[in-house]
Amino acid sequence: MSKDTKHPSDSIDTSPVDDFPERNTTLGDLEHMLRDQQYFSQSYGRPGIKSFVKSPVVVLCSWAAAVCGFLYGYDQGLINVTLIIDDFLNSFPEVNPEQSPRAAFYKGLVAAIFELGAVVGALQSAIFCDRISRRYTIIVAVFWYLVGSALQAGAVNYTMLVFGRLIGGVGVGRASMIAPLYISEIAPPHIRGALYTLQQWMLILGIVSAYYTTYGARHISGHWSWRTAFVAQMLPGTVLLGIVLVLPFSPRWLGIKGRDQECLETLSKLRCLPESDARIQAEWINIRCDILLQQRLNGRWREHSTGGSSFWQQCKVEGRKWGNCVSSRYIKRIYIGIVLNAFQQWVGVNGFTYYSTTLFAQLGYDYEQRLTLSGLLSIVQLIGSTVPVFIIDRIGRRPLLLFGTFMLMSCHIINSVIVGISYTDWPGHQASAKAGTAFMFLFMFFFETSWGPIAWGLPSEILPSIVRAEGMALSTASNWLSNFVVGLIVPSLVAAAPYGSFALFSCTSLCALIWVFFFVPETKGTSLEGLSLLFKDNVYEEEAAQRNELISELIRTHAPLGQSEK
């Protein structure tokens, strides 16, 4: 391996570049940054609140895109309480245990069909987000979400309710795939982790909002005791629709489309720096270099940069892009994204989120106590999801996942023992019930500091531009498919064996801990283009050599822009 192709994990100076001077670019600046990805990534400064203040535009855009998470969270919080409201049970006897012997299955289907729709939505989004942009894909997602919300609010029978949830799931699946991708593509490397955790924070805010909306509305007489919350979920969708219209296009998407000057202008606006700044120029060239590199390695794939392609040609291009996902060049990265998102569900979070009131019943609490504790649980989630905003870019993704998974496994093991010993006589085991509740709260806190935000965002970091949309679609679909299975089996599992869900998820958490240790890389503080070099696979040397050739080529062609060596 040549001197210029050293791996970024080799020994280099990793101290951030504080107070990098804002000046016109010299060719020396560019070459230093482009040859040393770590130096370039750190040239924007240190992670932390100070960097948020210095990057107001990208922070606001990330907050806006993170509203997609609110849509998903609202549905989670809504269905949790709705499934136990008396008038809802009377309106849909299929989910009423007093009227249907298969109520547990139908109850699970109401929650889980939403995830099945999300699988479809996530997979479809890959085509849309490359073709019409990340921004416009969010608009399409919101349309599906609003139609689904209207059908659920007006449901007159079980079939209509399930169909509405399926349509709404398609919309949320699209949104959950595109939001972390968009945020990662607009974020500077030193605060990228903090910015994509905003989606999870908004997701939990959606859970809290929906929970207390539903909790308050249940006192309304008649059907509006449950319809109110379904109508209210249309409000955040409408707000998001208005916000998206003012968001900038992703600079990486503009680069894919060959709109290089717009890419430069967008980077300048997002970073609040002039176009001539060394960091803006280096990031711009990095994006162009990555796209050109993928074109050389995989054939031209900038399929929409001209408007003359036929339908069948477009289909062939899409087929080739999906085929790249299983090529030796990218399969490891695709695999990490898919398994990471599957484990996010199999560590047991949505078994708690959807059915916390049912699980609290297994710990011996009465109806009102269960509702109060479920609300407090969502607040603990909100607190937990705030923590990684401040530490993820300092500590890193991998340490948070390892420690968090160990804590989740410990909570599951302890609760399976507590419930197994005490469930036949909760009045005589009040101390055990309180201890079990405490460990459920601890579980939610540590999940939100680790798996909650990282599983959504990390795949968008490690995937190169040529398969980023398809890889994110597969990763997100894996999350929702696992969510669907978990949502379907948990009610039956709880009904059959009160301690069964805790025992199952303690085993899956152990598997997740081992897998993270061996497979998940650290991505903090490196540009998206630099992260491609993390994977020293059988094509690493070829890719690194061609990248250096392209960098030299782009640096030479940089002179006509008015820059010169000083």
Side-chain angles (χ1 to χ4, degrees):
M1 190 179 296
S2 69
K3 185 178 179 180
D4 285 335
T5 59
K6 70 176 183 177
H7 193 269
S9 63
D10 295 340
S11 178
I12 57 176
D13 180 11
T14 59
S15 57
V17 182
D18 293 319
D19 301 321
F20 191 94
E22 294 184 19
R23 61 171 185 261
N24 287 343
T25 307
T26 69
L27 297 184
D29 290 330
L30 284 178
E31 184 155 7
H32 188 186
M33 289 185 174
L34 293 169
R35 301 289 185 193
D36 188 340
Q37 287 290 314
Q38 203 78 352
Y39 174 79
F40 159 68
S41 300
Q42 294 164 349
S43 67
Y44 280 115
R46 297 177 181 273
I49 297 299
K50 184 178 179 181
S51 293
F52 268 56
V53 175
K54 288 183 175 181
S55 309
V57 175
V58 75
V59 170
L60 288 173
C61 290
S62 299
W63 270 113
V67 176
C68 291
F70 189 95
L71 306 184
Y72 172 27
Y74 191 95
D75 181 83
Q76 281 190 313
L78 177 152
I79 204 66
N80 185 29
V81 179
T82 300
L83 287 173
I84 62 170
I85 293 177
D86 290 337
D87 193 76
F88 179 84
L89 296 176
N90 293 331
S91 299
F92 305 101
E94 291 86 349
V95 299
N96 191 336
E98 297 180 359
Q99 301 182 48
S100 172
R102 301 192 66 194
F105 171 80
Y106 288 118
K107 187 178 187 179
L109 184 61
V110 168
I113 196 67
F114 187 88
E115 282 72 49
L116 190 60
V119 172
V120 177
L123 292 173
Q124 289 178 342
S125 285
I127 299 173
F128 281 88
C129 77
D130 272 350
R131 185 179 297 272
I132 65 173
S133 81
R134 283 73 163 121
R135 191 174 92 177
Y136 293 148
T137 301
I138 296 177
I139 294 177
V140 176
V142 173
F143 172 77
W144 281 85
Y145 175 80
L146 291 175
V147 171
S149 300
L151 288 172
Q152 292 174 74
V156 294
N157 54 49
Y158 182 79
T159 302
M160 185 175 176
L161 175 70
V162 170
F163 183 69
R165 290 191 58 73
L166 179 68
I167 297 300
V170 171
V172 171
R174 287 175 180 267
S176 64
M177 175 270 186
I178 199 63
L181 187 154
Y182 176 81
I183 293 171
S184 289
E185 289 191 339
I186 66 172
H190 65 308
I191 56 172
R192 185 177 59 243
L195 291 179
Y196 72 59
T197 62
L198 294 178
Q199 184 199 17
Q200 184 69 13
W201 193 90
M202 290 296 291
L203 187 156
I204 304 304
L205 183 63
I207 291 177
V208 174
S209 301
Y211 181 85
Y212 284 105
T213 299
T214 313
Y215 185 83
R218 69 193 177 94
H219 296 293
I220 301 174
S221 60
H223 289 185
W224 286 106
S225 62
W226 58 269
R227 292 189 194 275
T228 299
F230 282 109
V231 171
Q233 74 177 339
M234 300 176 72
L235 177 61
T238 305
V239 170
L240 178 59
L241 195 62
I243 291 174
V244 173
L245 296 176
V246 300
L247 289 179
F249 289 111
S250 160
R252 268 80 183 179
W253 179 78
L254 290 170
I256 291 172
K257 292 298 188 180
R259 294 156 63 173
D260 292 335
Q261 185 59 35
E262 289 181 68
C263 174
L264 176 62
E265 293 168 359
T266 302
L267 283 172
S268 176
K269 292 175 182 177
L270 287 170
R271 305 290 179 261
C272 299
L273 294 170
E275 293 177 15
S276 59
D277 186 89
R279 291 161 290 185
I280 298 299
Q281 292 285 326
E283 187 169 4
W284 181 49
I285 292 179
N286 253 326
I287 293 171
R288 294 161 62 201
C289 178
D290 182 64
I291 292 168
L292 290 170
L293 175 63
Q294 301 305 326
Q295 288 174 355
R296 285 190 179 184
L297 295 173
N298 302 279
R300 295 196 63 83
W301 57 285
R302 193 185 284 179
E303 71 282 4
H304 305 305
S305 58
T306 59
S309 298
S310 70
F311 173 77
W312 292 112
Q313 287 174 320
Q314 296 290 346
C315 289
K316 287 173 65 176
V317 170
E318 290 297 335
R320 187 164 65 248
K321 288 168 64 179
W322 283 99
N324 282 329
C325 293
V326 294
S327 70
S328 60
R329 192 180 303 278
Y330 307 117
I331 187 64
K332 183 177 180 181
R333 299 169 225 194
I334 299 293
Y335 161 77
I336 290 173
I338 290 173
V339 178
L340 185 72
N341 273 272
F343 271 131
Q344 191 207 46
Q345 298 304 317
W346 284 103
V347 295
V349 62
N350 280 339
F352 287 156
T353 304
Y354 289 134
Y355 305 110
S356 61
T357 51
T358 303
L359 292 171
F360 281 131
Q362 301 299 329
L363 292 173
Y365 294 102
D366 63 31
Y367 179 77
E368 288 298 326
Q369 289 175 325
R370 298 199 305 266
L371 291 179
T372 300
L373 287 171
S374 291
L376 292 175
L377 192 65
S378 64
I379 293 175
V380 169
Q381 286 182 268
L382 189 63
I383 296 171
S385 65
T386 305
V387 173
V389 175
F390 299 98
I391 66 174
I392 190 171
D393 289 306
R394 295 180 182 274
I395 295 177
R397 288 68 160 151
R398 182 178 163 85
L400 286 176
L401 279 177
L402 288 170
F403 180 72
T405 310
F406 175 78
M407 295 303 298
L408 302 187
M409 179 184 67
S410 301
C411 291
H412 280 312
I413 291 173
I414 293 171
N415 264 347
S416 64
V417 172
I418 289 175
V419 176
I421 293 174
S422 309
Y423 79 95
T424 57
D425 182 24
W426 283 115
H429 296 84
Q430 288 298 303
S432 295
K434 293 177 181 178
T437 303
F439 281 107
M440 287 180 70
F441 276 68
L442 280 175
F443 172 91
M444 281 302 189
F445 178 84
F446 285 110
F447 176 85
E448 297 303 336
T449 63
S450 54
W451 283 93
I454 295 173
W456 292 112
L458 190 139
S460 66
E461 296 183 293
I462 63 176
L463 293 165
S465 53
I466 188 172
V467 292
R468 188 170 292 139
E470 289 74 23
M472 278 297 293
L474 291 171
S475 299
T476 309
S478 169
N479 189 303
W480 287 107
L481 185 60
S482 299
N483 200 331
F484 171 78
V485 175
V486 170
L488 201 59
I489 68 172
V490 165
S492 299
L493 189 62
V494 170
Y499 55 86
S501 60
F502 296 115
L504 171 64
F505 292 133
S506 64
C507 295
T508 54
S509 296
L510 174 61
C511 294
L513 179 64
I514 296 170
W515 181 82
V516 168
F517 181 81
F518 284 105
F519 291 100
V520 176
E522 182 53 66
T523 61
K524 70 170 181 175
T526 304
S527 69
L528 293 183
E529 290 69 35
L531 282 168
S532 293
L533 303 178
L534 279 173
F535 296 89
K536 279 189 173 180
D537 49 24
N538 61 332
V539 296
Y540 169 72
E541 292 199 26
E542 175 195 359
E543 185 169 328
Q546 292 201 36
R547 178 180 176 80
N548 283 327
E549 291 177 14
L550 279 170
I551 287 175
S552 298
E553 192 178 306
L554 289 169
I555 288 175
R556 284 197 302 271
T557 61
H558 197 73
L561 296 176
Q563 315 302 335
S564 61
E565 181 67 84
K566 290 185 180 179

